[in-house]
Amino acid sequence: MNQRFCLIGPGCAVVTDTRRPYNLSVVSATASLSEVRRRNPALRILYYALCLLLVALIVGVWWFYWIARRPLPQLDGSVSVSGISAKVRVIRDEHGVPTIEASTLADLFFAQGYVTAQDRLWQMDMMRRAAAGELSEVIGENTVKRDREERILGLRLAAEAAEKSISARDRVYFAAYARGVNAFLESHRDRLSLEFRLMKYAPRAWTVTDSMLVGALLVQYLNHYPYERALEREKVLAKLGPELTADLYVNSSWRDRPPAEVRRIEDEPAINNGDGDDDDDEEVDPEGGTGRLTSAVSSGYVPQVLKRVRENWVVPPGLESFVALAPALKRWAKLGRPSGAGYSDDSLAGYSDDSLRPGSNNWVVSGQHTVSGKPLLSNDMHLDHQMPNLWFEAHLRTTTATTETTTATTTGTKAGSFDVAGVTLPGVPFVIVGHNQRIGWGFTNVGPTVEDDFIEEFNAQGQYKTPAGWLDAQHRQETIHVKGKPDVTLDVVTTRHGPIITELLPGETRKIALRWTLQDGMGLMFFDADSAENWDQFRKALSTFGAPGQNLMYGDVDGHIGYQATGRVPIRAAGDGSLPVNGSDDAHEWKGFIPFDEMPHVYDPPSGILATANGRITPEGYKYSISTEWDAPWRTDRIYRVLESGKKFAPADMLALQMDVSSTYDRFCADKFVYAVDHATSASDRAKRAAEILRDWDGRMSADSAAPTIETKARQELARLLLEPKLGAAADSSNSSSAPSPKSGAASGALSWKSYHWAMSSVWLENVLTKQPARWLPPGYSDYGSLLTAALENAVQQTGGASELNQWKWGKYYPLEIDHLVLSRLPVIGRFTGPGSHPLSGSGQTVKQVSRGFGPSERLTLNFANFDESTLNVVTGESGIFLSPYYMDQWAAWYGGSTFAFPFSQAAIEQHRAHEMTLMPR
């Protein structure tokens, strides 16, 4: 066949057959088009312009793809580096999780620094900058306010002091880690991650102080809030007096479950609701205390963004049918994440209960409660979401079986049986949470009151008053470099109690000095914890841990379980840190810290069950004050109810409990609204429809349910009706039913009903609805029934949302949102750089504690019968490098409620090996 090609446009070829007459028309059309271009210069210019544009687009896409792929870390082969004494083996599994094997501890931590920097260098740099108050240098003036705060608080000073206080042995390991980071940095300055290129800067060398800065940042996140609560409480006390203030700032509940205190469910007191409904009085648990798990996924809610199911996913009971559908769900792979607009509308979006602090869960059960006869330990630390996610999974092991002979000056120390796996904090050596060959542990935040506000008295000469007379304040000059703008300088004034923080407190005019335990050091003990082989060695390691104060759950292969509270908690001459105090005398000075042996702890309790979820840990009669603001007891209570059900548990059951979305609190409130409407004389039809939806609700905060939305909006309105007459209207009262926000009245520090933020605010509301005291009944309401009815009426009559109440889906009202700070701003591809916005099951009071911006940062279960059957997953993935296959490969499992095996033995590591890299000494 006689064929030829003719071009009719850029990149488009047509095959013509000269024996067929219709091809003549194509030839004629082509000739005519060519002639038109010759005769019309404008079309010719347009034609070439389009061609150039197409070429530029292709080149641009290719260039972006090239620079985005260049930072991808080397995962296989050999790399020569200076700074190690022998070769180091790095094996990565199918999720990019490294197992690092070295012959010395110094080489091991060098390699940990190198490998972590491969995937997380930009994140590490941003964390140290955030702590040091140096973000403005690379971001610009938008972060000057934050940098000022960090400079005033002096986190860099704390980090420098912490570096000086570490042992000579640990200094060797921190220095080795820093050398590993810098070895990667220096060899990859021309291939740094995309964020560095877009922000147009290069990171400086890593130091031991930088590791301490990352640690200090975590301390700030977890333990830096009591000072604000004390100042808010002071204002409320001045306005309401002691009785109402004591009601609001309740700090205990009959539902509390201190780990060292034995209590059975049947010992719980009866609730007197005061509404005459006996059935309602007994409704304290949606499942009647049976311990049945109620995850949103097992109840039929199917997430829309799951990728395929990997063979090593571990699936909790009830999810089998859900997982079978996962291979067909291609939306994520084809389209990337959906935009947030698809999951919210103006009337329902944006809910944030700012009384909530991100919390965590940990529990351990002995072999008497497990299928295997050995303990199971679970931990999910709830923290703010970020891209990449906070934790970096790693397995660190030495190949030398000799006894450790570490000395202060030896960097090539032969290691003993150091073999530990879990999650690490990028920028810091060691494993933070995980297990070694014999023991395992998990964290939750204690929430100790470790800050005091001291009101200092200054004279005209700038001196402050003390019992010894007037003293000169110290002055520290700070310079903040601002990208594209002049430097900002500030004078930080410091007294014997700490820095003056008045400028950080809107509306405050007094000179407030902040006393904070961070100033006394952090006491990082992770190497000793990683190396411990039994309970006594583990406790000895924890005894030096200063901050942030944590609840440690413990288990070991011998079948023992335990709990230990940690951290430096001050003993005050008077007071408990709940209110600002006079700084000119010694009446409220810190006299020392609670002795470690007197911090709450328990070993092998008869019940075989231990759990914490940030709630009260002190038993009745405990002689010290650890916290003036424990978290609400709902999650702790729910965990104990499930674990005390009498079931023999397997690892998959632990994951199901971590995913549990049953809320006793929200069900309690819903029942009150239903009872009130049932007995109301003039409830509207819409309120009655809402009551019917709530009546049939089982208390699960499921994304596809309308009941949680109705109940939450009604509860918000109830809080406003109760608090507004006492504390005043908010400046943004037009949005009357929105949850309290720390920004309410922030510009002036004015007091309003939205000023009330308290972790146990739900217990206050429970107490009010249970006891129905006259002092809290607002004017204009004859009883609490009419108040509850009014709150529900106001909530369901709000305009702007769906007219049909059944369409008030919780997932639209309560979405999850995770975006990359920098890459999400890129046109077109920005939507692929993070999960984005998705409907979410759970709430602040469910075991799966979640909100728009925070949630479980990892989910871990340790099986002491066989560590290879332990499970672990993080939120998105191991890598922070866009285009890495491990950038978001764990997201679908995290969101959908599955997890991954976490191999530990040599055989399991080899079985899961996907890549192997060797670091060779140069």
Side-chain angles (χ1 to χ4, degrees):
M1 180 182 295
N2 181 18
Q3 294 180 324
R4 63 189 177 89
F5 289 89
C6 69
L7 191 67
I8 59 174
C12 182
V14 175
V15 179
T16 62
D17 188 338
T18 56
R19 295 175 299 173
R20 300 196 179 189
Y22 64 80
N23 284 318
L24 295 175
S25 63
V26 176
V27 175
S28 300
T30 303
S32 299
L33 181 58
S34 301
E35 187 172 346
V36 167
R37 286 201 299 264
R38 288 195 300 270
R39 294 179 179 179
N40 192 327
L43 286 178
R44 185 167 65 250
I45 293 173
L46 178 61
Y47 170 76
Y48 288 118
L50 290 174
C51 290
L52 289 174
L53 182 62
L54 180 61
V55 170
L57 180 62
I58 293 172
V59 170
V61 170
W62 177 86
W63 175 82
F64 179 83
Y65 180 75
W66 179 72
I67 66 168
R69 280 192 58 83
R70 284 203 73 195
L72 289 175
Q74 180 176 341
L75 305 181
D76 298 283
S78 297
V79 179
S80 296
V81 295
S82 299
I84 56 176
S85 61
K87 71 176 182 178
V88 178
R89 188 180 182 214
V90 182
I91 303 169
R92 286 180 170 88
D93 68 11
E94 58 267 46
H95 298 291
V97 177
T99 293
I100 305 174
E101 297 178 347
S103 59
T104 70
L105 288 167
D107 286 354
L108 180 67
F109 297 123
F110 176 100
Q112 185 187 5
Y114 186 97
V115 170
T116 307
Q118 281 186 300
D119 282 308
R120 302 290 190 93
L121 183 60
W122 179 76
Q123 180 187 37
M124 292 162 59
D125 188 63
M126 293 301 286
M127 286 196 294
R128 69 173 168 181
R129 284 183 175 277
E134 298 173 349
L135 288 173
S136 300
E137 186 176 6
V138 296
I139 294 178
E141 58 185 345
N142 289 338
T143 53
V144 168
K145 182 178 179 180
R146 177 189 170 87
D147 283 349
R148 289 181 69 96
E149 178 176 356
E150 302 307 315
R151 300 297 182 95
I152 292 171
L153 293 176
L155 263 66
R156 174 169 286 281
L157 294 180
E160 292 170 349
E163 178 187 356
K164 294 176 182 177
S165 69
I166 61 176
S167 68
R169 179 204 66 190
D170 284 0
R171 185 180 303 278
V172 170
Y173 303 149
F174 275 95
Y177 184 93
R179 290 198 307 274
V181 174
N182 292 330
F184 172 79
L185 173 59
E186 291 306 318
S187 61
H188 289 76
R189 283 198 174 274
D190 61 338
R191 288 169 287 165
L192 295 177
S193 64
L194 187 58
E195 295 92 338
F196 288 113
R197 186 178 292 268
L198 293 174
M199 297 175 72
K200 298 180 181 179
Y201 84 100
R204 64 174 185 271
W206 195 263
T207 67
V208 175
T209 299
D210 292 328
S211 292
M212 298 299 169
L213 276 168
V214 173
L217 186 66
L218 197 59
V219 174
Q220 180 184 21
Y221 177 81
L222 293 172
N223 286 175
H224 178 56
Y225 57 85
Y227 80 101
E228 285 186 312
R229 296 292 201 254
L231 292 165
E232 292 169 359
R233 186 170 184 163
E234 181 187 38
K235 294 177 183 178
V236 172
L237 177 62
K239 188 174 182 71
L240 300 186
E243 185 178 34
L244 293 177
T245 301
D247 290 343
L248 287 172
Y249 293 96
V250 58
N251 201 35
S252 65
S253 167
W254 64 269
R255 299 178 189 271
D256 291 334
R257 301 295 296 265
E261 188 174 85
V262 178
R263 183 167 72 89
R264 300 178 184 275
I265 294 178
E266 50 265 32
D267 296 331
E268 297 168 355
I271 303 177
N272 179 12
N273 287 309
D275 56 16
D277 188 339
D278 293 338
D279 293 336
D280 182 68
D281 291 349
E282 299 300 321
E283 189 63 62
V284 295
D285 182 34
E287 281 67 53
T290 66
R292 180 169 63 84
L293 299 178
T294 54
S295 77
V297 181
S298 62
S299 68
Y301 172 64
V302 181
Q304 298 298 308
V305 294
L306 282 185
K307 290 182 180 178
R308 63 186 178 88
V309 176
R310 297 184 184 271
E311 291 182 357
N312 65 323
W313 278 21
V314 176
V315 184
L319 295 187
E320 293 85 354
S321 61
F322 164 72
V323 170
L325 297 175
L329 300 176
K330 305 292 187 181
R331 181 175 182 180
W332 176 262
K334 291 182 178 179
L335 300 177
R337 60 95 171 171
S339 67
Y343 289 103
S344 63
D345 57 62
D346 292 340
S347 65
L348 300 180
Y351 168 67
S352 175
D353 188 343
D354 293 295
S355 293
L356 295 173
R357 296 195 305 265
S360 302
N361 308 309
N362 64 3
W363 60 81
V364 61
V365 293
S366 68
Q368 63 182 293
H369 300 288
T370 67
V371 173
S372 70
K374 291 288 187 178
L376 289 171
L377 185 152
S378 293
N379 186 202
D380 50 314
M381 296 177 284
H382 296 217
L383 301 166
D384 283 351
H385 290 308
Q386 55 183 283
M387 280 297 295
N389 45 230
L390 178 63
W391 303 112
F392 185 76
E393 301 171 66
H395 183 180
L396 310 176
R397 61 191 307 183
T398 55
T399 56
T400 305
T402 56
T403 303
E404 179 189 348
T405 56
T406 304
T407 64
T409 58
T410 301
T411 59
T413 303
K414 290 294 181 182
S417 55
F418 189 85
D419 192 356
V420 61
V423 296
T424 71
L425 182 62
V428 178
F430 317 127
V431 166
I432 307 300
V433 165
H435 71 90
N436 59 29
Q437 292 173 315
R438 294 195 54 80
I439 75 168
W441 63 95
F443 283 174
T444 67
N445 195 28
V446 170
T449 303
V450 292
E451 293 179 314
D452 277 4
D453 297 314
F454 284 93
I455 306 170
E456 306 285 23
E457 181 181 346
F458 278 76
N459 62 21
Q461 288 72 45
Q463 298 173 314
Y464 68 98
K465 188 177 181 181
T466 74
W470 295 93
L471 295 181
D472 292 329
Q474 296 179 342
H475 291 259
R476 172 166 43 93
Q477 303 300 315
E478 294 281 352
T479 301
I480 301 172
H481 302 299
V482 185
K483 183 178 181 180
K485 298 290 182 179
D487 290 347
V488 174
T489 60
L490 64 155
D491 177 33
V492 180
V493 180
T494 305
T495 72
R496 61 183 180 137
H497 296 120
I500 298 297
I501 61 170
T502 301
E503 80 162 75
L504 306 179
L505 308 170
E508 184 60 71
T509 58
R510 298 169 297 177
K511 299 295 185 182
I512 305 293
L514 179 67
R515 179 76 168 96
W516 185 10
T517 54
L518 181 61
Q519 301 158 2
D520 300 286
M522 290 179 282
L524 301 179
M525 64 353 163
F526 294 108
F527 177 79
D528 291 318
D530 290 353
S531 305
E533 296 185 352
N534 55 50
W535 173 246
D536 290 336
Q537 292 179 10
F538 187 64
R539 289 194 73 225
K540 183 178 180 181
L542 300 183
S543 66
T544 64
F545 190 29
Q550 297 290 290
N551 297 303
L552 272 292
M553 279 306 161
Y554 167 92
D556 64 36
V557 295
D558 295 324
H560 301 294
I561 64 173
Y563 160 79
Q564 176 71 57
T566 66
R568 291 192 186 95
V569 181
I571 299 174
R572 299 168 174 86
D576 57 8
S578 61
L579 291 169
V581 295
N582 184 3
S584 63
D585 58 33
D586 288 337
H588 298 86
E589 291 303 303
W590 293 5
K591 299 301 184 182
F593 301 99
I594 299 175
F596 176 77
D597 285 337
E598 297 186 52
M599 292 288 283
H601 63 280
V602 62
Y603 183 60
D604 283 341
S607 67
I609 299 172
L610 292 168
T612 70
N614 314 112
R616 180 167 64 88
I617 59 171
T618 53
E620 294 295 333
Y622 186 73
K623 65 179 181 179
Y624 298 110
S625 173
I626 291 181
S627 176
T628 60
E629 186 183 7
W630 302 112
D631 207 8
W634 310 102
R635 288 181 292 122
T636 310
D637 182 65
R638 175 65 178 167
I639 291 167
Y640 269 104
R641 287 177 181 272
V642 172
L643 297 180
E644 292 172 339
S645 65
K647 179 178 180 177
K648 296 288 187 179
F649 295 101
D653 299 309
M654 302 293 96
L655 176 61
L657 180 52
Q658 289 175 329
M659 293 293 294
D660 185 72
V661 295
S662 175
S663 174
T664 304
Y665 172 59
D666 291 280
R667 176 67 186 273
F668 167 83
C669 293
D671 288 345
K672 296 306 172 191
F673 289 120
V674 172
Y675 182 87
V677 171
D678 286 348
H679 292 79
T681 58
S682 58
S684 68
D685 290 341
R686 191 169 176 83
K688 291 177 181 178
R689 287 198 300 274
E692 288 305 313
I693 293 174
L694 296 179
R695 190 191 313 280
D696 297 333
W697 183 42
D698 59 7
R700 285 180 285 187
M701 308 297 284
S702 301
D704 61 346
S705 174
T709 308
I710 296 170
E711 181 273 332
T712 300
K713 292 173 73 68
R715 175 164 46 81
Q716 290 174 356
E717 186 63 16
L718 176 62
R720 183 186 69 82
L721 293 175
L722 287 166
L723 292 171
E724 195 172 59
K726 306 292 186 183
L727 298 177
D732 57 343
S733 58
S734 59
N735 189 16
S736 59
S737 67
S738 62
S741 166
K743 303 302 181 183
S744 304
S748 63
L751 188 66
S752 77
W753 77 272
K754 290 190 175 185
S755 301
Y756 174 55
H757 309 110
W758 194 242
M760 277 204 175
S761 59
S762 58
V763 176
W764 160 74
L765 188 57
E766 180 195 28
N767 290 341
V768 168
L769 295 181
T770 299
K771 301 173 182 178
Q772 300 188 2
R775 62 182 177 273
W776 278 105
L777 187 64
Y781 297 95
S782 59
D783 55 37
Y784 277 85
S786 61
L787 175 66
L788 285 158
T789 302
L792 184 61
E793 290 277 12
N794 291 350
V796 300
Q797 299 299 337
Q798 291 176 11
T799 59
S803 59
E804 178 52 54
L805 292 175
N806 282 323
Q807 297 304 311
W808 285 22
K809 303 300 184 184
W810 182 240
K812 294 182 179 180
Y813 184 55
Y814 205 75
L816 162 74
E817 190 165 0
I818 307 176
D819 287 309
H820 194 289
L821 176 68
V822 175
L823 301 185
S824 63
R825 301 169 186 265
L826 292 173
V828 184
I829 67 166
R831 68 196 304 268
F832 297 95
T833 61
S837 182
H838 298 278
L840 189 65
S841 296
S843 73
Q845 308 298 358
T846 58
V847 176
K848 180 189 172 186
Q849 191 204 33
V850 290
S851 184
R852 177 184 290 268
F854 76 82
S857 60
E858 47 72 57
R859 294 191 183 106
L860 169 72
T861 291
L862 302 179
N863 185 351
F864 291 90
N866 182 355
F867 282 131
D868 287 338
E869 295 179 2
S870 299
T871 61
L872 173 63
N873 71 291
V874 291
V875 183
T876 50
E878 274 285 273
S879 182
I881 307 298
F882 182 56
L883 295 186
S884 166
Y886 310 121
Y887 182 69
M888 280 201 295
D889 64 315
Q890 298 194 43
W891 159 249
W894 183 92
Y895 183 65
S898 296
T899 189
F900 306 105
F902 190 42
F904 185 68
S905 69
Q906 187 66 47
I909 292 168
E910 294 297 335
Q911 179 184 353
H912 288 271
R913 179 177 59 178
H915 304 279
E916 181 172 343
M917 177 182 71
T918 303
L919 298 180
M920 301 295 295
R922 182 177 297 166

